[in-house]
PDB file of all heavy atoms in Angstrom:
ATOM      1  N   ASP A 592      -5.013  11.915  -0.226  1.00 82.00           N
ATOM      2  CA  ASP A 592      -5.797  12.117   1.015  1.00 82.00           C
ATOM      3  C   ASP A 592      -5.903  10.771   1.663  1.00 82.00           C
ATOM      4  O   ASP A 592      -5.573   9.722   1.097  1.00 82.00           O
ATOM      5  CB  ASP A 592      -7.153  12.717   0.732  1.00 82.00           C
ATOM      6  CG  ASP A 592      -7.822  13.276   1.951  1.00 82.00           C
ATOM      7  OD1 ASP A 592      -7.144  13.253   3.022  1.00 82.00           O
ATOM      8  OD2 ASP A 592      -8.922  13.772   1.876  1.00 82.00           O
ATOM      9  N   ASP A 593      -6.364  10.739   2.916  1.00 83.00           N
ATOM     10  CA  ASP A 593      -6.697   9.493   3.586  1.00 83.00           C
ATOM     11  C   ASP A 593      -8.194   9.440   3.727  1.00 83.00           C
ATOM     12  O   ASP A 593      -8.804  10.435   3.995  1.00 83.00           O
ATOM     13  CB  ASP A 593      -6.049   9.435   4.959  1.00 83.00           C
ATOM     14  CG  ASP A 593      -4.530   9.215   4.887  1.00 83.00           C
ATOM     15  OD1 ASP A 593      -4.098   8.518   3.979  1.00 83.00           O
ATOM     16  OD2 ASP A 593      -3.797   9.835   5.692  1.00 83.00           O
ATOM     17  N   VAL A 594      -8.772   8.274   3.474  1.00 82.00           N
ATOM     18  CA  VAL A 594     -10.211   8.140   3.575  1.00 82.00           C
ATOM     19  C   VAL A 594     -10.490   6.987   4.562  1.00 82.00           C
ATOM     20  O   VAL A 594      -9.785   5.987   4.606  1.00 82.00           O
ATOM     21  CB  VAL A 594     -10.862   7.943   2.197  1.00 82.00           C
ATOM     22  CG1 VAL A 594     -10.464   6.604   1.589  1.00 82.00           C
ATOM     23  CG2 VAL A 594     -12.366   8.081   2.237  1.00 82.00           C
ATOM     24  N   MET A 595     -11.522   7.221   5.396  1.00 81.00           N
ATOM     25  CA  MET A 595     -11.875   6.149   6.372  1.00 81.00           C
ATOM     26  C   MET A 595     -12.916   5.253   5.725  1.00 81.00           C
ATOM     27  O   MET A 595     -13.946   5.686   5.347  1.00 81.00           O
ATOM     28  CB  MET A 595     -12.451   6.807   7.652  1.00 81.00           C
ATOM     29  CG  MET A 595     -11.443   7.629   8.415  1.00 81.00           C
ATOM     30  SD  MET A 595      -9.963   6.721   8.926  1.00 81.00           S
ATOM     31  CE  MET A 595     -10.575   5.560  10.143  1.00 81.00           C
ATOM     32  N   ILE A 596     -12.605   3.960   5.647  1.00 81.00           N
ATOM     33  CA  ILE A 596     -13.617   2.988   5.266  1.00 81.00           C
ATOM     34  C   ILE A 596     -13.766   2.080   6.420  1.00 81.00           C
ATOM     35  O   ILE A 596     -12.886   1.207   6.719  1.00 81.00           O
ATOM     36  CB  ILE A 596     -13.193   2.232   3.981  1.00 81.00           C
ATOM     37  CG1 ILE A 596     -13.078   3.177   2.786  1.00 81.00           C
ATOM     38  CG2 ILE A 596     -14.208   1.131   3.629  1.00 81.00           C
ATOM     39  CD1 ILE A 596     -12.587   2.567   1.518  1.00 81.00           C
ATOM     40  N   GLY A 597     -14.878   2.241   7.138  1.00 81.00           N
ATOM     41  CA  GLY A 597     -15.005   1.536   8.472  1.00 81.00           C
ATOM     42  C   GLY A 597     -13.921   2.094   9.378  1.00 81.00           C
ATOM     43  O   GLY A 597     -13.819   3.298   9.557  1.00 81.00           O
ATOM     44  N   ARG A 598     -13.156   1.192   9.949  1.00 83.00           N
ATOM     45  CA  ARG A 598     -12.069   1.652  10.883  1.00 83.00           C
ATOM     46  C   ARG A 598     -10.736   1.767  10.124  1.00 83.00           C
ATOM     47  O   ARG A 598      -9.734   2.152  10.745  1.00 83.00           O
ATOM     48  CB  ARG A 598     -11.896   0.557  11.986  1.00 83.00           C
ATOM     49  CG  ARG A 598     -13.019   0.464  12.944  1.00 83.00           C
ATOM     50  CD  ARG A 598     -12.919   1.439  14.085  1.00 83.00           C
ATOM     51  NE  ARG A 598     -13.965   1.192  15.066  1.00 83.00           N
ATOM     52  CZ  ARG A 598     -15.121   1.786  14.959  1.00 83.00           C
ATOM     53  NH1 ARG A 598     -15.467   2.629  13.969  1.00 83.00           N
ATOM     54  NH2 ARG A 598     -16.121   1.492  15.880  1.00 83.00           N
ATOM     55  N   ALA A 599     -10.721   1.376   8.873  1.00 82.00           N
ATOM     56  CA  ALA A 599      -9.436   1.397   8.137  1.00 82.00           C
ATOM     57  C   ALA A 599      -9.208   2.737   7.493  1.00 82.00           C
ATOM     58  O   ALA A 599     -10.085   3.359   6.904  1.00 82.00           O
ATOM     59  CB  ALA A 599      -9.434   0.275   7.094  1.00 82.00           C
ATOM     60  N   LYS A 600      -7.958   3.174   7.611  1.00 83.00           N
ATOM     61  CA  LYS A 600      -7.532   4.453   6.968  1.00 83.00           C
ATOM     62  C   LYS A 600      -6.834   4.048   5.682  1.00 83.00           C
ATOM     63  O   LYS A 600      -5.796   3.439   5.679  1.00 83.00           O
ATOM     64  CB  LYS A 600      -6.561   5.173   7.910  1.00 83.00           C
ATOM     65  CG  LYS A 600      -6.403   6.632   7.612  1.00 83.00           C
ATOM     66  CD  LYS A 600      -5.630   7.255   8.771  1.00 83.00           C
ATOM     67  CE  LYS A 600      -5.171   8.640   8.478  1.00 83.00           C
ATOM     68  NZ  LYS A 600      -4.307   9.195   9.504  1.00 83.00           N
ATOM     69  N   ILE A 601      -7.469   4.394   4.570  1.00 83.00           N
ATOM     70  CA  ILE A 601      -6.953   3.964   3.287  1.00 83.00           C
ATOM     71  C   ILE A 601      -6.432   5.230   2.532  1.00 83.00           C
ATOM     72  O   ILE A 601      -7.141   6.223   2.486  1.00 83.00           O
ATOM     73  CB  ILE A 601      -8.050   3.371   2.387  1.00 83.00           C
ATOM     74  CG1 ILE A 601      -8.815   2.293   3.184  1.00 83.00           C
ATOM     75  CG2 ILE A 601      -7.542   2.796   1.090  1.00 83.00           C
ATOM     76  CD1 ILE A 601      -8.128   0.991   3.381  1.00 83.00           C
ATOM     77  N   PRO A 602      -5.250   5.165   1.954  1.00 83.00           N
ATOM     78  CA  PRO A 602      -4.748   6.229   1.131  1.00 83.00           C
ATOM     79  C   PRO A 602      -5.644   6.386  -0.146  1.00 83.00           C
ATOM     80  O   PRO A 602      -6.070   5.404  -0.664  1.00 83.00           O
ATOM     81  CB  PRO A 602      -3.329   5.899   0.728  1.00 83.00           C
ATOM     82  CG  PRO A 602      -3.135   4.484   1.108  1.00 83.00           C
ATOM     83  CD  PRO A 602      -4.246   4.054   1.993  1.00 83.00           C
ATOM     84  N   ALA A 603      -5.873   7.640  -0.536  1.00 85.00           N
ATOM     85  CA  ALA A 603      -6.738   7.848  -1.719  1.00 85.00           C
ATOM     86  C   ALA A 603      -6.143   8.916  -2.594  1.00 85.00           C
ATOM     87  O   ALA A 603      -5.283   9.714  -2.169  1.00 85.00           O
ATOM     88  CB  ALA A 603      -8.114   8.291  -1.240  1.00 85.00           C
ATOM     89  N   ILE A 604      -6.604   8.945  -3.839  1.00 84.00           N
ATOM     90  CA  ILE A 604      -6.119   9.906  -4.802  1.00 84.00           C
ATOM     91  C   ILE A 604      -7.287  10.756  -5.219  1.00 84.00           C
ATOM     92  O   ILE A 604      -8.414  10.195  -5.409  1.00 84.00           O
ATOM     93  CB  ILE A 604      -5.513   9.141  -6.049  1.00 84.00           C
ATOM     94  CG1 ILE A 604      -4.290   8.406  -5.591  1.00 84.00           C
ATOM     95  CG2 ILE A 604      -5.148  10.103  -7.137  1.00 84.00           C
ATOM     96  CD1 ILE A 604      -3.785   7.478  -6.677  1.00 84.00           C
ATOM     97  N   VAL A 605      -7.018  12.017  -5.491  1.00 85.00           N
ATOM     98  CA  VAL A 605      -8.071  12.950  -6.010  1.00 85.00           C
ATOM     99  C   VAL A 605      -7.919  12.960  -7.519  1.00 85.00           C
ATOM    100  O   VAL A 605      -6.852  13.339  -8.035  1.00 85.00           O
ATOM    101  CB  VAL A 605      -7.858  14.329  -5.422  1.00 85.00           C
ATOM    102  CG1 VAL A 605      -8.864  15.323  -6.046  1.00 85.00           C
ATOM    103  CG2 VAL A 605      -8.023  14.347  -3.909  1.00 85.00           C
ATOM    104  N   ARG A 606      -9.045  12.572  -8.184  1.00 81.00           N
ATOM    105  CA  ARG A 606      -9.039  12.644  -9.687  1.00 81.00           C
ATOM    106  C   ARG A 606      -9.911  13.819 -10.076  1.00 81.00           C
ATOM    107  O   ARG A 606     -11.039  13.886  -9.601  1.00 81.00           O
ATOM    108  CB  ARG A 606      -9.640  11.372 -10.267  1.00 81.00           C
ATOM    109  CG  ARG A 606      -8.735  10.176 -10.136  1.00 81.00           C
ATOM    110  CD  ARG A 606      -7.933   9.949 -11.398  1.00 81.00           C
ATOM    111  NE  ARG A 606      -6.678   9.254 -11.084  1.00 81.00           N
ATOM    112  CZ  ARG A 606      -6.539   7.970 -10.926  1.00 81.00           C
ATOM    113  NH1 ARG A 606      -7.610   7.124 -11.024  1.00 81.00           N
ATOM    114  NH2 ARG A 606      -5.388   7.465 -10.631  1.00 81.00           N
TER     115      ARG A 606
END
Side-chain angles (χ1 to χ4, degrees):
Chain A
D592 196 2
D593 289 323
V594 68
M595 295 301 293
I596 297 179
R598 294 270 185 273
K600 197 171 171 189
I601 311 284
I604 293 171
V605 175
R606 288 261 152 83

